[in-house]
Amino acid sequence: MMKLYVFGWVPDFAVGLVRDLRVRWALEEAGLPYEEQVISHEEKLTDAYKAIQPFGQVPAIEDDDLTLFESGAILLHIASKSDVLLPGDANGKARATAWMISALNSMEGVIQGLVEIDIFNAGADWAKERRPAVIERLEGRLSDLSKALGDKSYLDGETFTVGDLMMVTVLRILRHTDLLAKYPNLNAYKERCEARPAFQKALAAQLATFEREGELKASA
Ligand SMILES: N[C@@H](CCC(=O)N[C@@H](CS)C(=O)NCC(=O)O)C(=O)O
C-alpha cells in the first residue's frame, strides 16, 4: 500500500492547506488506498528523511520500490495508475498536464508571494510596500485564469482532471483574502471541485490526523 508522509501538526494558517492534501485527494479520486506516515518538524530535518524528500518537506510517498517527492510528480504518478485523473487520449493528457504545471508554475509562485507577505512577514515595512505590486500581478493571473476557464465546468472542458485538482489546491491558498470573489466563475469552479466527495474525504483525513496527533501529544 502507498505510504504518504504527512505532518502531525502545523500552524493554524496551514491546517487544511498542507500539500499532502493534493495527494490524498488524488488517491481518493483514483480509489487507491494509502497509509499515513506522520513525521515531526524535527524528523523532517534528518538525513534519513531528506533521503526521501531532499528539502525536508511534505508530501513524499513510498510506493513499492519507488520513493517520490514533489506534489506534481506524485500526482502524475497516481494519475498514471488510474484512468480517472487524466483523459485517455494523448492530447487530452498533455493539456491536463499543462494545466497542472501552470497551477504550480504560473499560479502558485505568485500566490506564495502574497503568503510570504500576509502570513510570514505580516507587519514588516518591506511587506507593506511590496503588497500592492504583488496583488496587481496576482490579479492579472487570476483574471487570465478566469478568462481561460470561461463558462466551462473545468479547465479543459467538461471533464475533471489532475490539472483541476492541482489548480484548486493552489487557489485555496488564497482563503485568507477575498480575491477570488472578484472572479465568480473561478470561485464557483473552486467550490464545484471542493464539493467532490474525494476532496471532502481527503480534507477530513488531513484534519483527522491533526486532531489525533494533537490529542496524542496532549495525553503524553
Ligand atoms: N514544491 C513542493 C512544496 C512542498 C511544501 O511546500 N511543503 C510544505 C507543507 S505545505 C512543507 O513541508 N513545509 C515545511 C518546510 O518547508 O519546512 C511540493 O509541491 O511538494
Side-chain angles (χ1 to χ4, degrees):
M1 193 187 302
M2 196 177 293
K3 184 191 283 186
L4 172 62
Y5 287 87
V6 304
F7 290 140
W9 177 89
V10 292
D12 284 350
F13 74 80
V15 170
L17 293 180
V18 189
R19 288 169 174 82
D20 60 86
L21 182 68
R22 300 165 176 182
V23 179
R24 295 177 190 267
W25 186 3
L27 287 166
E28 294 294 349
E29 293 282 353
L32 295 172
Y34 65 98
E35 61 184 1
E36 293 174 4
Q37 178 72 49
V38 174
I39 58 153
S40 68
H41 291 275
E42 290 77 44
E43 282 167 318
K44 78 182 179 191
L45 303 174
T46 60
D47 288 347
Y49 186 65
K50 286 192 176 177
I52 295 167
Q53 211 295 1
F55 307 105
Q57 298 182 313
V58 302
I61 60 158
E62 283 172 0
D63 188 21
D64 290 328
D65 57 353
L66 174 68
T67 300
L68 202 56
F69 67 103
E70 279 300 333
S71 58
I74 297 171
L75 259 53
L76 288 179
H77 173 67
I78 294 167
S80 76
K81 292 165 96 77
S82 146
D83 53 8
V84 300
L85 286 165
L86 282 172
D89 64 302
N91 287 355
K93 269 195 180 85
R95 287 194 305 270
T97 306
W99 278 119
M100 195 199 78
I101 292 174
S102 80
L104 292 170
N105 212 9
S106 304
M107 297 300 300
E108 190 171 44
V110 186
I111 289 176
Q112 203 57 38
L114 187 63
V115 170
E116 285 294 325
I117 287 173
D118 289 352
I119 312 262
F120 295 121
N121 293 281
D125 285 345
W126 73 261
K128 282 182 206 144
E129 278 161 31
R130 177 105 185 92
R131 195 172 194 275
V134 170
I135 290 286
E136 192 181 332
R137 185 142 183 265
L138 178 51
E139 289 198 324
R141 286 290 152 93
L142 290 171
S143 166
D144 288 342
L145 185 64
S146 167
K147 283 190 194 116
L149 176 65
D151 58 6
K152 300 191 298 287
S153 297
Y154 301 106
L155 290 168
D156 193 42
E158 295 311 307
T159 307
F160 176 85
T161 74
V162 74
D164 300 298
L165 192 158
M166 187 62 92
M167 191 63 82
V168 167
T169 62
V170 167
L171 294 177
R172 292 182 78 254
I173 301 173
L174 287 171
R175 73 180 178 185
H176 72 286
T177 74
D178 57 4
L179 286 167
L180 267 195
K182 296 185 187 171
Y183 309 92
N185 69 332
L186 269 190
N187 209 26
Y189 161 73
K190 182 184 81 79
E191 286 174 1
R192 185 176 312 124
C193 294
E194 286 174 332
R196 294 174 73 84
F199 174 82
Q200 294 297 327
K201 254 180 123 172
L203 181 61
Q206 183 180 90
L207 300 183
T209 300
F210 292 140
E211 190 132 324
R212 187 191 67 233
E213 294 294 314
E215 279 166 14
L216 282 178
K217 239 185 183 168
S219 67

